[in-house]
């Protein structure tokens, strides 16, 4: 019996090994088909997995002889452009309260809000075939194919406008050495209230060279026509892509967490998830603002000056009138913040430790607590 | 009044000044002038004509190029790198230049930074292996100088070349995919 179990085990492991060897990477599978056009749809709604999938395809698939289209959508997330400043672009407090993460993509452009009512299209081509206008034409033609009298037009800034006024799609792109990708969003049935709330930045007094978003009024396609839902639109764009470029590709599902067919993708997703990328890659900036400090008896005006590079506070100066709070306390708080991340969690820990050292004086303790809370609130 | 002089000048009458895609500059100019002078003392009328032809040729000094449309200016073992006029025009209005690799030593063809223009991020590739010893800080607040003056104020980085043999592999004129001269 032992022998039989052992031989069964051998057979099983051999079968496993065979299947692992037989299952080749996605790029090999694509090359084998010999087709020049491919349409993929992501099974994941995780932004980091999907962004990693885009990078993986851009780096590993031979795009000189073929083009690809990727269809994807995400659970609620705010996505900023490569060189943007999240503190300047979105309301980080509301995002934290609603469990909405922040992601930084590798392409340029402005800040967008994704949720399951928003569809994304990524067009992968060689650098020679890089043509954003043609890609957007695929999307507008697909929409016009569904509703011939709908007024959708692409602008020079590569936005798509509905009725000439409301933005339903924004664009960004990345150029590599020999290949390029162009991705765009499409608002089908997104949560517009949440979108407005998260894209309203609250941090005041930021001076920065980061690229800034151009705010535009938006609208959902569903508001225009209740029968236009995400799946209908995705299918229509996929078939229009085939028509426009002369391909005959079906929509193939892909799982971005499959390390066997996409080797290295988990590491890429982890890089995109890390604080050092999402917040730490912010171009250097400074915050220069004044705020009110109140307690039961008095109110005063304090100023905050900070220089931040790579998300780390390089210099910090919090000035509070000395009659409201002893200068040593605000100075000590400033000094403790230097060298730390511009992060409310880290700052709360520093503030808590500092509050513990204050002598037992209720009034002073409360004032210091107010100051710490206001500073944390800004981050 | 003993003398009346009339001077006409066309300076220039015709001037054609253009820069080719490979940074050669050509200048042709025609100047014309005439001075008529009437002297009442000795009743003398004098006419002086002038016709001047100017031809100029400008050649960029010591510039080498990569196939990614970057220019390289070499002085000893230090190379200054920027992007060419062709590249900046292809990209459009540049809004951000990022180089986070200062003081790092990288190999040829590795990405040393990125440039963003019209919502597109493009990678910048290192033309020669070496240590990146300087970055043009002015580009942080004025990225548009890459568009306005790509060979001068728009320089990007300086490299301390680690392998001088690689210099031979650089192109001496910029390759152009469009075979027309731009005027």
């Amino acid at each position: 019996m032992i022998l039989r179990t052992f031989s069964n085990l051998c057979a099983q492991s051999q079968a496993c090994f065979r299947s692992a060897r037989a299952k080749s990477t996605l790029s090999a599978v694509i090359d084998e088909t010999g087709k020049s056009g491919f349409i993929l749809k992501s099974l994941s709604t995780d932004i980091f997995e999907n962004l990693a999938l885009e990078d993986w395809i851009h780096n590993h698939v031979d795009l000189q002889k073929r083009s690809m289209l990727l269809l994807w959508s995400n659970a609620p997330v705010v996505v900023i452009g490569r060189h943007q400043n999240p503190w300047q672009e979105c309301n980080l407090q509301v995002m934290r309260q609603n469990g909405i993460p922040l992601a930084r993509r590798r392409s340029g452009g402005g800040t967008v809000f994704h949720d399951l009512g928003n569809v994304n299209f990524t067009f992968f081509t060689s650098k020679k075939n890089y043509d954003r206008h043609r890609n957007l034409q695929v999307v507008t033609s697909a929409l016009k194919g569904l509703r011939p009298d709908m007024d959708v037009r692409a602008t020079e800034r590569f936005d798509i406008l509905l009725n000439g006024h409301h933005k339903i799609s924004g664009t960004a792109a990345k150029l590599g050495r020999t290949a390029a990708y162009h991705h765009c969003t499409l608002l089908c049935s997104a949560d517009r209230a949440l979108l407005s709330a998260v894209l309203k930045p609250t941090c005041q007094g930021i001076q920065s060279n980061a690229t800034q978003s151009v705010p535009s009024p938006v609208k959902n396609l569903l508001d225009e026509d209740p029968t236009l839902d995400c799946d209908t639109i995705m299918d229509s764009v996929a078939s229009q892509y085939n028509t426009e470029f002369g391909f005959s590709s079906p929509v193939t599902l892909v799982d971005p967490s499959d390390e066997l067919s996409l080797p290295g993708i988990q590491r890429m997703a982890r890089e995109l998830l890390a604080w050092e990328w999402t917040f730490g890659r912010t171009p250097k900036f400074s915050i220069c603002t004044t705020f009110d400090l109140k307690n039961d008896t008095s109110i005063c005006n304090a100023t905050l000056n900070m220089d931040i590079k790579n998300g780390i506070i390089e210099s910090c100066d919090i000035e509070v009138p000395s009659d409201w709070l002893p200068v040593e306390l605000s100075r000590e708080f400033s000094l403790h913040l230097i060298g730390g991340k511009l992060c409310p969690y880290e700052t709360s820990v520093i503030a808590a430790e500092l509050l513990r050292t204050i002598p037992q004086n209720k009034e002073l303790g409360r004032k210091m607590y107010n100051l710490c809370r206001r500073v944390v609130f800004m981050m | 009044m003993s003398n009346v002089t009339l001077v006409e000048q066309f300076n220039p009458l015709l001037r054609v000044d253009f820069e080719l895609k490979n940074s050669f500059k050509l200048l042709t100019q025609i100047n014309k002038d005439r001075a008529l002078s009437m002297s009442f003392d000795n009743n003398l009328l004098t006419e002086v004509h002038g016709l001047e032809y100017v031809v100029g040729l400008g050649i960029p000094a010591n510039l080498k190029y990569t196939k990614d449309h970057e220019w390289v200016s070499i002085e000893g073992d230090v190379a200054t790198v920027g992007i060419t006029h062709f590249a900046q025009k292809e990209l459009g209005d540049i809004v951000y230049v990022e180089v986070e690799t200062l003081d790092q030593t990288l190999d040829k063809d590795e990405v040393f930074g990125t440039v963003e223009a019209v919502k597109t991020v493009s990678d910048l590739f290192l033309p020669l292996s070496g240590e990146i010893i300087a970055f043009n800080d002015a580009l942080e607040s004025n990225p548009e100088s890459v568009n306005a003056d790509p060979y001068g104020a728009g320089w990007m980085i300086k490299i301390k070349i680690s392998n001088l043999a690689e210099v031979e592999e650089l192109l001496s004129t910029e390759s152009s995919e469009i075979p027309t001269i731009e005027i």
Side-chain angles (χ1 to χ4, degrees):
Chain A
M1 203 192 88
I2 295 172
L3 267 172
R4 208 161 21 161
T5 322
F6 186 61
S7 72
N8 275 346
L9 211 63
C10 271
Q12 265 179 11
S13 67
Q14 263 188 7
C16 256
F17 183 61
R18 253 199 306 270
S19 80
R21 238 186 348 185
K23 198 177 180 182
S24 41
T25 67
L26 182 67
S27 65
V29 167
I30 291 174
D31 279 336
E32 268 166 39
T33 62
K35 279 187 164 176
S36 50
F38 234 86
I39 304 180
L40 294 175
K41 186 170 174 180
S42 172
L43 285 166
S44 170
T45 54
D46 178 64
I47 181 69
F48 303 105
E49 283 182 350
N50 285 327
L51 287 176
L53 178 62
E54 277 189 323
D55 285 337
W56 195 96
I57 295 173
H58 180 68
N59 295 334
H60 291 94
V61 175
D62 181 6
L63 292 161
Q64 296 314 302
K65 6 184 188 145
R66 68 175 53 80
S67 306
M68 291 179 59
L69 171 66
L70 175 68
L71 308 163
W72 46 298
S73 57
N74 307 302
V77 61
V78 172
V79 185
I80 57 174
R82 175 80 165 80
H83 301 122
Q84 290 206 295
N85 182 331
W87 289 278
Q88 211 178 11
E89 297 292 333
C90 48
N91 190 333
L92 293 165
Q93 273 88 37
V94 166
M95 284 164 64
R96 278 181 211 114
Q97 282 160 12
N98 288 285
I100 299 174
L102 176 78
R104 181 187 295 268
R105 52 180 190 268
R106 292 196 195 274
S107 56
T111 304
V112 284
F113 172 70
H114 287 187
D115 67 8
L116 292 168
N118 172 74
V119 183
N120 303 297
F121 306 104
T122 309
F123 299 86
F124 296 91
T125 57
S126 65
K127 221 163 162 177
K128 242 188 286 185
N129 295 332
Y130 172 65
D131 186 349
R132 285 176 287 181
H133 281 300
R134 197 172 180 195
N135 296 338
L136 290 180
Q137 212 176 332
V138 169
V139 179
T140 51
S141 303
L143 290 174
K144 285 216 184 67
L146 287 171
R147 299 285 172 274
D149 51 354
M150 187 155 54
D151 177 13
V152 279
R153 254 174 291 142
T155 67
E156 285 154 8
R157 276 179 54 85
F158 308 106
D159 294 332
I160 299 180
L161 295 181
L162 178 66
N163 302 327
H165 177 60
H166 288 105
K167 182 170 165 179
I168 54 169
S169 166
T171 269
K174 169 100 169 35
L175 293 177
R177 209 183 202 153
T178 50
Y181 66 79
H182 160 216
H183 50 204
C184 59
T185 58
L186 193 63
L187 284 173
C188 300
S189 53
D191 183 343
R192 279 184 44 205
L194 194 53
L195 187 152
S196 309
V198 295
L199 294 184
K200 204 174 298 183
T202 49
C203 192
Q204 304 281 336
I206 295 184
Q207 284 147 6
S208 158
N209 291 319
T211 55
Q212 295 197 26
S213 301
V214 174
S216 318
V218 295
K219 197 173 182 187
N220 278 318
L221 282 168
L222 209 73
D223 296 338
E224 184 78 1
D225 185 334
T227 58
L228 288 174
D229 67 326
C230 292
D231 289 317
T232 316
I233 289 174
M234 277 207 237
D235 289 334
S236 178
V237 170
S239 71
Q240 186 64 30
Y241 180 73
N242 277 329
T243 315
E244 172 77 30
F245 293 99
F247 302 141
S248 55
S249 170
V251 177
T252 312
L253 297 172
V254 64
D255 176 8
S257 61
D258 185 355
E259 184 73 22
L260 278 174
S261 45
L262 305 161
I265 198 166
Q266 306 259 1
R267 184 187 48 86
M268 287 167 122
R270 270 199 304 274
E271 260 176 43
L272 289 164
L273 184 58
W275 192 95
E276 282 68 28
W277 173 259
T278 49
F279 288 97
R281 257 334 235 243
T282 308
K284 70 175 188 221
F285 66 105
S286 54
I287 304 180
C288 185
T289 182
T290 59
F291 53 96
D292 288 333
L293 286 169
K294 293 185 212 157
N295 73 349
D296 307 325
T297 49
S298 53
I299 182 170
C300 78
N301 204 265
T303 60
L304 174 93
N305 278 294
M306 269 191 200
D307 290 325
I308 297 114
K309 187 171 173 195
N310 294 334
I312 307 287
I313 301 171
E314 296 214 312
S315 78
C316 176
D317 185 28
I318 303 174
E319 274 182 29
V320 184
S322 50
D323 54 342
W324 206 80
L325 196 73
V327 173
E328 309 86 60
L329 282 178
S330 53
R331 201 165 287 165
E332 211 183 326
F333 188 37
S334 306
L335 280 172
H336 272 83
L337 289 177
I338 294 176
K341 293 182 183 167
L342 190 66
C343 166
Y345 307 115
E346 267 200 28
T347 309
S348 303
V349 168
I350 294 171
E353 277 186 33
L354 217 63
L355 283 167
R356 267 200 291 272
T357 65
I358 291 176
Q360 290 293 356
N361 179 336
K362 272 201 176 146
E363 173 91 21
L364 206 61
R366 247 203 309 269
K367 283 182 176 176
M368 189 63 187
Y369 175 77
N370 268 346
L371 174 66
C372 294
R373 210 171 67 101
R374 277 305 256 112
V375 171
V376 167
F377 191 72
M378 266 184 239
M379 299 190 173
Chain B
M1 188 171 65
S2 62
N3 212 332
V4 171
T5 309
L6 183 74
V7 175
E8 293 165 352
Q9 215 179 36
F10 286 104
N11 193 0
L13 173 69
L14 180 71
R15 181 186 168 119
V16 178
D17 184 356
F18 53 90
E19 182 175 336
L20 300 181
K21 278 206 168 83
N22 56 8
S23 337
F24 275 60
K25 279 189 156 80
L26 286 176
L27 167 71
T28 47
Q29 186 170 326
I30 303 173
N31 298 335
K32 225 171 154 157
D33 59 87
R34 185 174 82 145
L36 263 173
S37 181
M38 175 72 170
S39 165
F40 291 105
D41 291 335
N42 50 10
N43 291 332
L44 194 62
L45 177 65
T46 314
E47 187 181 2
V48 182
H49 284 274
L51 179 62
E52 194 181 320
Y53 296 103
V54 179
V55 174
L57 175 68
I59 305 169
N62 286 332
L63 277 193
K64 298 240 178 242
Y65 303 90
T66 67
K67 59 177 166 28
D68 300 311
H69 300 286
E70 290 159 341
W71 57 263
V72 186
S73 163
I74 313 230
E75 260 171 277
D77 67 345
V78 174
T80 308
V81 182
I83 63 171
T84 62
H85 171 79
F86 176 78
Q88 67 79 21
K89 226 167 74 75
E90 286 278 291
L91 285 169
D93 290 334
I94 293 173
V95 297
Y96 201 80
V97 179
E98 183 190 81
V99 172
E100 296 274 315
T101 49
L102 189 58
D103 298 332
Q104 287 182 25
T105 303
L106 298 173
D107 288 328
K108 180 175 146 121
D109 294 338
E110 279 197 72
V111 173
F112 73 83
T114 54
V115 64
E116 182 172 342
V118 199
K119 308 186 190 184
T120 305
V121 165
S122 298
D123 287 329
L124 295 166
F125 302 96
L126 203 64
L128 301 163
S129 311
E131 186 192 341
I132 297 173
I133 54 175
F135 165 56
N136 185 0
D137 285 339
L139 294 181
E140 276 179 356
S141 41
N142 278 74
E144 54 278 353
S145 51
V146 177
N147 294 111
D149 188 8
Y151 300 97
W155 72 271
M156 290 188 178
I157 56 164
K158 289 192 196 283
I159 314 168
K160 190 170 157 76
I161 307 170
S162 58
N163 182 358
L164 282 162
E166 283 173 350
V167 175
E168 307 304 314
E169 293 165 28
L170 293 173
L171 307 170
S172 48
T173 52
E174 189 182 2
S175 69
S176 174
E177 302 193 64
I178 306 163
T180 52
I181 294 172
E182 205 183 280
I183 293 175

